Amino acid sequence: MGLPFRFTRAAVVRGTVAGVTLAVAMTLMGCPRDDSGSTAPTRDDSRSPEASRTSDGSADTPTRRAPVPAGIPRTVPALRAAAGAAGPGWRPAAGTRVVTDTAGPLADEANRLAGELKLATAAGPARDGDIELALRSGQRGGPEGYELTARNGKVLITSDGEPGVFYGTRTLLQAVRSGGGVPEGVVRDSPDRAQRGLNLDIARKHFTAGWIEDRLREMGDLKLNQLGLHFSDDQGFRIESESHPEVVSPQHLTKAEVRRILALASSLHITVVPEIDSPGHLGAVMKAHPGLQLTNTAGTASRGAVDIADPGAARIVDDLLREYAQLFPGPWFHLGADEYRALTVKDPEASYPRLAALARQKYGAEAGVQDLATGWLNDRAAVVRAAGKRPKAWNDGFFRGGVVTADKDIEVEYWTGKELGARDPQEYLNEGRTVVNLNDEYLYYVLGEPNQFRYPTGQRIYEEWSPAVLRGSKAAPRNLAGPDRIPGGRFAVWCDRPDAQTAQQVADGIRLPLAATAQRLWDPRPPTRSWQDFSGLAGRLRG
């Protein structure tokens, strides 16, 4: 493993000159420009700050406010491109309103921001001191990119999509918390990676709906957009079920609670990805159906593993997949596929001859147990695909050299290179697959720290990790590590020893690591701030 490394970059010099235009620019990726080369915002919105009027058509009289110091708004994640200008900037004051079509698509964003800043909302037109939210079809940056302009005492936030406007409101809110307001100038910001999130193991440890909702609010402020819910494992099955109520643990989320979680997630532009892990990690299901337990030639039960030669196992899992595909509206469904006990032994065919025999029967004389497991994964992928979902699976559910190949549309979620027969992540990339980063070296918060795990630190993630670092501390080749091949990642909480920490201790322990993960997924380049500066700012920005 390579030694930890730290990147530093010269600080941007800031200054002010009275009576002379001031420009402070920070261009990490290169500030987006229009075709003329100008960095000024486009002016295709009839309610732009310069064009706003009062209801009688006269220019609104400015309200006296203390100017905001020039500079770049301090946010987490940091802005990727911004340019300062001479002027008073903007800060909230008596009479400030959040302006948008109050019955339109941005009403939720306006109401949320108004509530956070204790302001009123209005349909417009915008006047001096107001914040205006607007959609601009085709604006650069896509639906998650946004432009925030502070000019002449007003703020305009625009985007091609609702998520981008929401992220613009997060920037404004953080600018108020960190500096009292928004400095004069233009921010053009967008994420580098499309999938940015948190993965929660709610199967081994029950978390309340309220606790999960608090994490969603933190995620929204960090511009994270994906929550993975691992709700079925050996220790528990934690969401109410109508198709198989017998598998559900006493402590669980009701479907009403899940719908409440999903509604909040939607309002924060966060997609929830459900996971039913199979054919391993099904102990809670087998507690109610012990006849499905996989055993080896000695009659020893394989913990958590169902017998994939038994058609009854597929029927129950498929019932559950179809049921929860109806509950969760997002585009993905995670199928697990990791740590199937029959494939963690040196000679699966000798230890599990019944599986080996069925593999040969189904796939030919050269087939083995891994092919039967791959066939199981493909069959489950077909079930969720028919329900309108895109399948995901853990990297150790994909095998090399078999007769059967995992379907190419199953997205690889890479978590470890420490398992028996582990494959280098570059193999999946070379196969043309997309790979999501959940590198257990940096991103695994495992309660009780079993198996040589240590609670990850935000500083190590911030200074060493990036989406390209899929396994250990080694980055994937640059030509395979772009957003089209590695679309993002998630920080993961696993509750192997559920009583090792309380829910509050988990929340406190993941706060800074999650902020660091958000930073590196929004902008994978080496950060410009020191860890001390970043962590201090993250603390000040908490709502």
Side-chain angles (χ1 to χ4, degrees):
M1 185 182 303
L3 292 174
F5 51 88
R6 181 192 302 266
F7 290 92
T8 59
R9 185 178 294 169
V12 177
V13 179
R14 297 174 181 169
T16 58
V17 180
V20 180
T21 299
L22 171 68
V24 179
M26 177 179 69
T27 308
L28 301 179
M29 292 293 286
C31 188
R33 296 172 178 267
D34 60 25
D35 293 339
S36 68
S38 170
T39 58
T42 54
R43 298 180 185 173
D44 60 345
D45 192 298
S46 62
R47 293 188 290 151
S48 66
E50 291 188 332
S52 299
R53 300 277 174 172
T54 58
S55 57
D56 65 2
S58 62
D60 192 56
T61 303
T63 303
R64 293 181 61 85
R65 297 176 176 84
V68 178
I72 303 299
R74 288 169 55 79
T75 63
V76 175
L79 306 176
R80 295 181 69 200
W90 173 93
R91 66 173 72 242
T96 296
R97 307 173 305 165
V98 183
V99 172
T100 196
D101 180 353
T102 54
L106 299 178
D108 286 347
E109 283 70 28
N111 289 331
R112 181 176 297 278
L113 182 63
E116 290 163 332
L117 294 177
K118 297 180 172 54
L119 305 175
T121 60
R127 65 193 185 198
D128 182 70
D130 284 347
I131 307 158
E132 184 175 0
L133 311 181
L135 293 173
R136 286 183 176 172
S137 179
Q139 180 173 301
R140 294 179 65 177
E144 289 195 309
Y146 66 93
E147 183 176 290
L148 184 155
T149 302
R151 180 178 295 144
N152 299 330
K154 303 169 190 169
V155 171
L156 173 65
I157 299 173
T158 61
S159 174
D160 179 60
E162 295 173 44
V165 172
F166 173 69
Y167 296 147
T169 68
R170 301 305 88 193
T171 291
L172 182 144
L173 181 65
Q174 290 192 16
V176 171
R177 289 174 176 169
S178 64
V182 182
E184 197 87 359
V186 181
V187 170
R188 290 189 180 93
D189 201 16
S190 61
D192 185 76
R193 306 289 156 145
Q195 297 186 45
R196 310 177 306 279
L198 171 66
N199 210 74
L200 283 178
D201 171 12
I202 64 171
R204 295 179 178 95
K205 184 179 181 70
H206 173 65
F207 292 100
T208 66
W211 188 92
I212 296 171
E213 288 169 332
D214 286 343
R215 304 291 76 71
L216 285 169
R217 295 183 185 95
E218 291 181 10
M219 291 171 64
D221 283 348
L222 292 170
K223 303 184 175 101
L224 296 170
N225 67 357
Q226 192 178 90
L227 174 67
L229 282 186
H230 175 93
F231 64 89
S232 170
D233 212 301
D234 298 341
Q235 296 82 353
F237 192 102
R238 301 292 183 182
I239 295 179
E240 175 188 358
S241 171
E242 279 98 31
S243 68
H244 288 282
E246 75 280 1
V247 307
V248 179
S249 301
Q251 281 191 309
H252 64 271
L253 299 172
T254 67
K255 285 193 174 179
E257 289 175 316
V258 172
R259 291 186 182 100
R260 194 179 83 198
I261 289 167
L262 292 169
L264 176 61
S266 178
S267 74
L268 299 169
H269 302 281
I270 295 170
T271 297
V272 182
V273 181
E275 181 190 350
I276 296 178
D277 202 344
S278 78
H281 294 279
L282 282 172
V285 171
M286 285 185 295
K287 184 177 180 181
H289 298 275
L292 300 179
Q293 178 77 58
L294 177 68
T295 57
N296 64 15
T297 53
T300 303
S302 299
R303 183 186 177 197
V306 294
D307 183 352
I308 57 177
D310 187 334
R315 282 196 295 270
I316 288 178
V317 171
D318 290 350
D319 287 345
L320 294 168
L321 291 174
R322 292 187 184 100
E323 178 179 2
Y324 294 105
Q326 295 292 320
L327 178 62
F328 290 88
W332 291 287
F333 207 115
H334 203 304
L335 301 172
D338 63 312
E339 298 183 314
Y340 186 49
R341 296 288 178 173
L343 293 168
T344 60
V345 297
K346 289 186 178 180
D347 191 345
E349 283 68 35
S351 296
Y352 300 94
R354 184 165 174 264
L355 298 184
L358 182 59
R360 291 191 297 270
Q361 177 185 330
K362 291 187 70 171
Y363 303 116
E366 302 300 317
V369 175
Q370 76 168 46
D371 297 297
L372 198 64
T374 301
W376 171 281
L377 173 60
N378 288 342
D379 289 345
R380 308 293 76 75
V383 170
V384 300
R385 206 179 288 117
K389 308 297 184 184
R390 302 205 301 268
K392 290 174 174 279
W394 298 114
N395 66 282
D396 49 336
F398 297 76
F399 309 101
R400 66 163 73 91
V403 174
V404 183
T405 302
D407 294 342
K408 283 295 180 69
D409 71 331
I410 304 175
E411 196 165 70
V412 179
E413 301 227 321
Y414 199 97
W415 71 281
T416 190
K418 300 170 185 173
E419 297 290 322
L420 181 69
R423 300 172 63 191
D424 190 284
Q426 188 170 337
E427 289 189 35
Y428 306 98
L429 295 168
N430 288 341
E431 292 173 2
R433 299 182 184 275
T434 57
V435 180
V436 177
N437 193 326
L438 288 93
N439 184 343
D440 64 349
E441 178 72 21
Y442 292 94
L443 304 180
Y444 262 37
Y445 192 96
V446 185
L447 297 199
E449 300 183 310
N451 302 321
Q452 299 182 321
F453 280 109
R454 294 294 178 265
Y455 293 126
T457 68
Q459 182 172 2
R460 191 160 178 249
I461 297 168
Y462 185 76
E463 295 176 345
E464 299 177 24
W465 179 81
S466 76
V469 181
L470 288 160
R471 176 180 182 176
S473 57
K474 178 184 176 183
R478 186 183 298 270
N479 66 314
L480 296 176
D484 58 328
R485 307 305 312 282
I486 304 175
R490 295 194 302 283
F491 184 84
V493 175
W494 296 102
C495 303
D496 292 40
R497 296 176 182 169
D499 297 329
Q501 288 192 341
T502 66
Q504 185 58 52
Q505 286 173 322
V506 174
D508 293 340
I510 70 174
R511 185 179 62 82
L512 285 176
L514 190 61
T517 305
Q519 172 62 49
R520 300 311 303 270
L521 288 167
W522 190 266
D523 187 350
R525 294 163 304 163
T528 58
R529 298 175 185 145
S530 70
W531 168 249
Q532 289 72 23
D533 185 26
F534 177 87
S535 58
L537 176 62
R540 292 193 296 277
L541 292 178
R542 297 184 72 182

